[in-house]
Amino acid sequence: MRNSCDCVQKRQTRKIGPTRRSVSGVYAFRGAIGIQFESTLERDFLIRKEFALCVIDVISQPVQIPFIGNNGQEYVYTPDFLVFYRSGKPSCFEYPKPLLVEVKPGVEWKKHWREWLPKWKAAYRYANEHGWEFHIHDESRIRDQTLTNIRFLDRYKRMQFPAEESRLIIENIQQMGSAPFHCILACHFMEIYKTAGIANVWYLLATRQLDCDMTLPLNDFTELWVSSDE
């Protein structure tokens, strides 16, 4: 069995054309790589993966998997995405497995699961053979608190602040290991500068210079620490 350390360059195997059923387009992943999507749910999936520091790359329409349908006919199934992760561990065997993903609204897969089960079983086998995992993601795994937080932070990403001010905030948090949001404000900003201070701290989180538990609502008690790629 191959594993996630195999140096195989996966490329998009099926181009996505215009569709009347949903919103399609190209998402500028981290401002550099254009990744195609076929729905707003797929776009939101990409937004979440872009924010995650552990994600190295996402490939749209990555592989074509042959399978036999319930009617005995041969078909080809193309999952939506293949996600690669970083670990920072010295051994490649400790890296998180790449994730083969089908993004599908819950109402659709619950209605058609018997019809789609053969192709999903084929995808599970294919992923296992390559040392990957196969998951189905619907709204419950995409449009959650994490996505709500990412959308909130988006307004701060393009703001500008004095570099020295941001450096001092980061160095102070690094020395403490972590600190709650309200403590950072109290340490670095007088009351008259509090509004600018709030924006500066959220900017550092939005641009991934700081990190926190994104599964929890962002508020005055959010615990922040300095980001690490490992």
Side-chain angles (χ1 to χ4, degrees):
M1 177 190 297
R2 288 183 291 173
N3 58 44
S4 58
C5 284
D6 290 340
C7 297
V8 179
Q9 294 295 322
K10 292 294 179 183
R11 298 179 181 274
Q12 184 170 343
T13 62
R14 181 177 74 85
K15 296 297 182 182
I16 297 173
T19 174
R20 295 180 181 180
R21 294 182 57 195
S22 59
V23 177
S24 62
V26 178
Y27 185 79
F29 191 80
R30 292 174 180 161
I33 305 171
I35 301 178
Q36 289 190 295
F37 61 87
E38 290 184 288
S39 67
T40 56
L41 190 59
E42 289 188 12
R43 179 204 60 201
D44 291 347
F45 173 86
L46 292 172
I47 290 172
R48 290 180 93 263
K49 295 305 176 186
E50 177 182 50
F51 194 85
L53 292 172
C54 62
V55 172
I56 298 175
D57 196 11
V58 179
I59 299 173
S60 173
Q61 312 289 311
V63 293
Q64 294 183 323
I65 304 170
F67 71 97
I68 305 297
N70 290 326
N71 60 2
Q73 296 294 314
E74 293 186 1
Y75 298 94
V76 174
Y77 167 47
T78 306
D80 292 317
F81 300 106
L82 179 60
V83 183
F84 290 96
Y85 298 92
R86 66 163 53 88
S87 172
K89 302 292 185 180
S91 169
C92 69
F93 295 103
E94 296 176 349
Y95 273 71
K97 292 181 179 180
L99 182 63
L100 195 61
V101 181
E102 174 70 18
V103 174
K104 194 69 65 178
V107 66
E108 289 192 24
W109 73 256
K110 290 174 184 177
K111 179 180 180 180
H112 298 286
W113 72 269
R114 288 185 179 87
E115 175 189 347
W116 293 340
L117 190 58
K119 68 178 182 180
W120 288 344
K121 284 184 175 179
Y124 177 84
R125 289 192 297 268
Y126 185 94
N128 189 55
E129 290 169 359
H130 288 75
W132 306 342
E133 293 184 356
F134 173 69
H135 290 175
I136 300 165
H137 285 213
D138 62 14
E139 297 92 335
S140 67
R141 305 184 74 171
I142 298 173
R143 291 173 177 162
D144 55 5
Q145 184 64 52
T146 297
L147 184 64
T148 298
N149 290 341
I150 293 171
R151 292 196 182 283
F152 166 76
L153 292 170
D154 186 65
R155 72 196 73 177
Y156 298 100
K157 285 172 62 175
R158 286 164 288 280
M159 290 185 175
Q160 295 183 343
F161 299 92
E164 180 66 12
E165 190 172 88
S166 295
R167 184 185 65 81
L168 289 173
I169 294 172
I170 292 171
E171 287 183 353
N172 192 21
I173 296 174
Q174 199 159 33
Q175 290 174 1
M176 292 187 289
S178 66
F181 185 87
H182 67 84
C183 179
I184 298 169
L185 290 181
C187 289
H188 290 272
F189 300 97
M190 298 173 59
E191 187 63 32
I192 59 174
Y193 301 114
K194 185 176 179 180
T195 300
I198 290 172
N200 196 340
V201 176
W202 289 143
Y203 159 80
L204 293 174
L205 180 57
T207 55
R208 312 308 286 120
Q209 298 177 71
L210 295 179
D211 206 357
C212 71
D213 185 349
M214 291 290 288
T215 65
L216 300 176
L218 299 177
N219 54 45
D220 284 348
F221 299 96
T222 295
E223 196 77 13
L224 295 159
W225 55 85
V226 177
S227 298
S228 172
D229 289 342
E230 296 186 3

